[in-house]
Amino acid sequence: MLFSMIVVNYYSEKQIENLLSLLCIEKHTDNFEVIVVSNSGVITSPAILRYCRVLYPDTNCGYARACNLGAKNANTDILVFCNPDIHSTFAQIKELVDITKRNESIGLLSIDTSNSLGKASNVTIQNTSDKVIGCLYVFRRSVFEGLSGWDENFFLWGEDTDLCLRVRKLNLSTSVAQNSGITHDAGVTWRTSQREKNILYTRVWLSSQTYLQLKHAGIQAAWKYLVKQIMIELVRVVTRKKPLGRAHHSLTHLKFCTFLLLKGNSIEDWVKFNGEKYKWQTV
């Protein structure tokens, strides 16, 4: 078996079914395994139940914790963390796996999603010091375990940036495969018109980004980040523009930034996810 693909489900069975179809999984069951970690309860899709190993956390444990759970149950030395809304063939994923195996200097390999779906050919690798999009990551298990996996203090968003920063601290590269032909429907599983969900996701986004600042730059950087977010949001209100690719609630953005700033030196307690909830969800 060449690699283990780990997919986190959150009401995204249709996207996973589409991914399995593109991968032609029925032809490749000896070549790779798919582990689906379901953060939204029992899966009913016959295709997923037939071709994937499904794991059920006790609760919606967040993306990072779910990925770690999938990795712990994987049976190969190559781990492919893949969003449900990725469009890829088996050959395209295998090309990334082969590149990762050949290049021990690569810490994690992701993709440039600007290309149309096609055959995996003429793939080029570019090392980058920027954030590498987290929709698809390929790791050697040794590297992943050396990092102690994903940081489970993130519920969602920011965990990919954190992982990139930690990979580079090991003097390994964060790399992007260009011309892979793999595409990603960015934000499809998170866009919503429901007010309560937009409020929740806005708080989660700000918690994750603030924790990221705390972890890698310190508390003053976190405070500055929140002040900047207030200023950015005021501009959005005036121009009536919203951030692209994620759920958003303007008033909540302003109020929650202020709420976190008022927590002062105890801010970290309020932005770390404990595996079940945030502290701000209890007040």
Side-chain angles (χ1 to χ4, degrees):
M1 194 170 288
L2 301 174
F3 61 89
S4 301
M5 178 177 286
I6 297 152
V7 184
V8 178
N9 171 60
Y10 186 73
Y11 300 108
S12 51
E13 290 185 42
K14 293 297 183 183
Q15 288 92 344
I16 297 174
E17 286 177 338
N18 183 60
L19 174 61
L20 296 177
S21 177
L22 288 171
L23 291 168
C24 296
I25 191 169
E26 70 278 1
K27 299 179 181 179
H28 297 290
T29 53
D30 292 335
N31 294 322
F32 72 104
E33 62 177 352
V34 179
I35 300 170
V36 175
V37 184
S38 182
N39 269 341
S40 55
V42 176
I43 284 177
T44 58
S45 163
I48 296 175
L49 294 174
R50 180 176 181 181
Y51 293 112
C52 306
R53 191 143 45 100
V54 181
L55 306 177
Y56 295 104
D58 293 334
T59 185
N60 181 358
C61 63
Y63 183 77
R65 195 173 294 253
C67 283
N68 285 342
L69 177 60
K72 289 176 184 176
N73 285 272
N75 293 313
T76 72
D77 291 330
I78 298 291
L79 305 175
V80 180
F81 297 96
C82 184
N83 280 15
D85 48 4
I86 281 288
H87 300 269
S88 176
T89 66
F90 168 75
Q92 289 167 335
I93 297 291
K94 183 178 181 298
E95 177 73 8
L96 302 185
V97 168
D98 290 343
I99 290 169
T100 303
K101 286 182 176 179
R102 291 196 302 266
N103 296 272
E104 292 190 359
S105 63
I106 293 178
L108 72 82
L109 180 62
S110 187
I111 55 171
D112 173 6
T113 59
S114 63
N115 300 289
S116 299
L117 185 65
K119 294 182 179 180
S121 60
N122 301 318
V123 176
T124 58
I125 302 301
Q126 178 180 348
N127 296 338
T128 177
S129 59
D130 295 327
K131 170 188 172 180
V132 179
I133 188 169
C135 61
L136 193 153
Y137 278 173
V138 184
F139 279 100
R140 294 188 303 280
R141 179 185 287 276
S142 59
V143 172
F144 183 76
E145 292 180 347
L147 293 164
S148 299
W150 299 79
D151 184 341
E152 297 180 1
N153 291 308
F154 292 96
F155 175 74
L156 182 70
W157 297 305
E159 68 284 316
D160 50 353
T161 302
D162 168 70
L163 207 53
C164 289
L165 291 170
R166 290 191 285 129
V167 165
R168 290 195 284 268
K169 287 180 180 178
L170 295 179
N171 293 318
L172 296 171
S173 70
T174 50
S175 304
V176 175
Q178 298 179 317
N179 305 315
S180 70
I182 301 171
T183 61
H184 174 224
D185 294 334
V188 166
T189 55
W190 292 106
R191 293 182 188 133
T192 177
S193 60
Q194 298 180 36
R195 180 176 179 274
E196 292 303 316
K197 285 188 177 181
N198 282 329
I199 289 173
L200 173 63
Y201 295 157
T202 297
R203 289 173 176 164
V204 170
W205 169 268
L206 289 168
S207 295
S208 295
Q209 301 307 313
T210 304
Y211 173 61
L212 183 67
Q213 293 292 324
L214 276 167
K215 181 175 180 180
H216 291 281
I219 193 166
Q220 291 190 356
W223 292 338
K224 289 179 181 179
Y225 167 79
L226 291 167
V227 171
K228 183 178 180 180
Q229 284 300 307
I230 291 174
M231 296 172 65
I232 290 172
E233 191 58 36
L234 289 172
V235 173
R236 287 194 187 117
V237 170
V238 173
T239 59
R240 297 184 178 182
K241 292 183 178 180
K242 294 183 179 181
L244 298 176
R246 63 177 174 88
H248 179 73
H249 189 267
S250 183
L251 182 59
T252 298
H253 194 102
L254 290 169
K255 291 173 66 176
F256 195 64
C257 285
T258 304
F259 171 84
L260 292 177
L261 280 169
L262 291 173
K263 296 305 174 184
N265 290 327
S266 66
I267 188 174
E268 184 171 352
D269 296 335
W270 295 87
V271 296
K272 291 170 68 173
F273 182 69
N274 69 7
E276 295 183 359
K277 62 182 64 175
Y278 288 96
K279 187 175 180 179
W280 47 260
Q281 291 179 294
T282 65
V283 297

